[in-house]
Amino acid sequence: MSSRKLSGPKGRRLSIHVVTWNVASAAPPRDLSDLLQLNNRNLNLDIYVIGLQELNSGIISLLSDAAFNDSWSSFLMDVLSPLSFIKGNKGGVNICLKLYGYYVSIINCHLPPHISNNYQRLEHFDRILEMQNCEGRDIPNILDHDLIIWFGDMNFRIEDFGLHFVRESIKNRCYSGLWEKDQVWWGRLSSRASHPGLSIAKKHDPLLREFQEGRLLFPPTYKFDRNSNDYDTSEKKRKPAWTDRILWRLKRQPCAGPDTPGPPASHFSLSLRGYSSHMMYGISDHKPVSGTFDLELKPLVSAPLIVLMPEDLWTVENDMMVSYSSTSDFPSSPWDWIGLYKVGLRDVNDYVSYAWVGDSKVSCSDNLNQVYIDISNIPTTEDEFLLCYYSNSLRSVVGISRPFQIPPGSLREDPLGEAQPQI
């Protein structure tokens, strides 16, 4: 991922759009432009973080997902891949990123339901934080990361108030009275004069207390009758609640000094630009919630791990030679590979050809490496291509070239049945 936006001397600003939605086993709607802010040209987003809960987990769906992408992933990438966004195939609910030398952890969760299970929710919250580790990282425990973005169906409810009072407050948009009894919010400031605050949960949980959240200026997002904006009219008449939340936590960093190495806190900051629900979507009994953030940072790492050089491309018969350089501390592996893609790829497995770095290297000198990639059967096309370097050690794409065009050919099947890289 990259950004051309600057914010101060040698600083960068990244715009991040976070979405959480309990889709309740429903299929994707026809249009997600509002949720993804595709019509808001002023946002100029760099990163999408999308977390869904309660995708259809029936046996037919599981078998289909094992062979193909699930319907939600396919639909979202139909929308986002033309805009040059790429989906990384990650398992689990925690993704760790290293962003210009900073560590970022992204967590999507679905905590236990029902109003009486608040302490069980807190226990799950703490357990996720304390047990999640990122293998192969310099800072494996996510509590030591510079930024944690935590979102999902947290299932926190509104205590004490009855159903009629809650619904009347929502009807009259009097949300402040509900904040004080929300299981996440409860007097963040000691005076409570100008801002709602620390949750009932935060009062009892030191880890949750370290997380921040934007003001809840939108109606509770659960529970709705499907395909409507009416709260539950079934016999159960469940009380509305803000179950769907987006939180964040910045690591506390002392100012750098002789005895405290590290960047000042001002070199890495997150500000919330918008926090809202999207009432127009009715496929689920939950409404989706999104938060848009500006991440300001001063890069700790300026040189990319891998630089691919399409300007040095040239072909020999059916092969294309690719030149690349790496930093001195890059953890190379013979299982690293370079993929050739058409511009507009949806996923790192969408390569049209590839080469194992360990098997295909033909030259290595002064930190400049060269490998051959087979292009014998790429059909004649005016499409543009790009190269991606995948690191097996880091389990991530660590280098992406600029777009380029290559001579014609056609892609052939591997006659030896050689194993192809999969993520």
Side-chain angles (χ1 to χ4, degrees), residues 29-48:
R30 291 184 178 181
D31 186 5
L32 288 176
S33 298
D34 180 73
L35 181 60
L36 301 178
Q37 296 289 286
L38 298 179
N39 298 326
N40 190 342
R41 298 182 179 180
N42 295 326
L43 282 183
N44 195 17
L45 296 170
D46 296 288
I47 302 171
Y48 278 97

Side-chain angles (χ1 to χ4, degrees), residues 109-113 121-122 124-125 128 150 153-156:
C109 74
H110 191 177
L111 300 181
R121 280 187 282 275
L122 295 178
H124 284 217
F125 189 95
I128 292 172
W150 187 312
D153 180 358
M154 298 188 179
N155 262 318
F156 290 109

Side-chain angles (χ1 to χ4, degrees), residues 90 96 98 103 134-138 305-306 329-337 356-357 389-398 422-423:
K90 304 292 184 182
C96 297
K98 194 171 184 181
Y103 288 88
C134 298
E135 296 180 3
R137 300 283 182 173
D138 299 333
L305 295 176
I306 295 288
D329 59 345
F330 174 66
S332 61
S333 163
W335 295 107
D336 293 352
W337 51 276
W356 296 104
V357 169
Y389 187 109
Y390 185 86
S391 166
N392 184 65
S393 300
L394 300 178
R395 300 180 184 179
S396 175
V397 172
V398 294
Q422 295 290 325
I423 308 305

Side-chain angles (χ1 to χ4, degrees), residues 221-232:
T221 55
Y222 173 85
K223 174 182 174 43
F224 289 87
D225 293 338
R226 292 188 187 233
N227 301 310
S228 80
N229 287 333
D230 298 325
Y231 287 101
D232 188 14

Side-chain angles (χ1 to χ4, degrees), residues 58-75:
I59 185 64
I60 300 299
S61 177
L62 288 174
L63 291 173
S64 174
D65 293 350
F68 311 100
N69 278 330
D70 64 272
S71 60
W72 277 93
S73 293
S74 296
F75 181 80

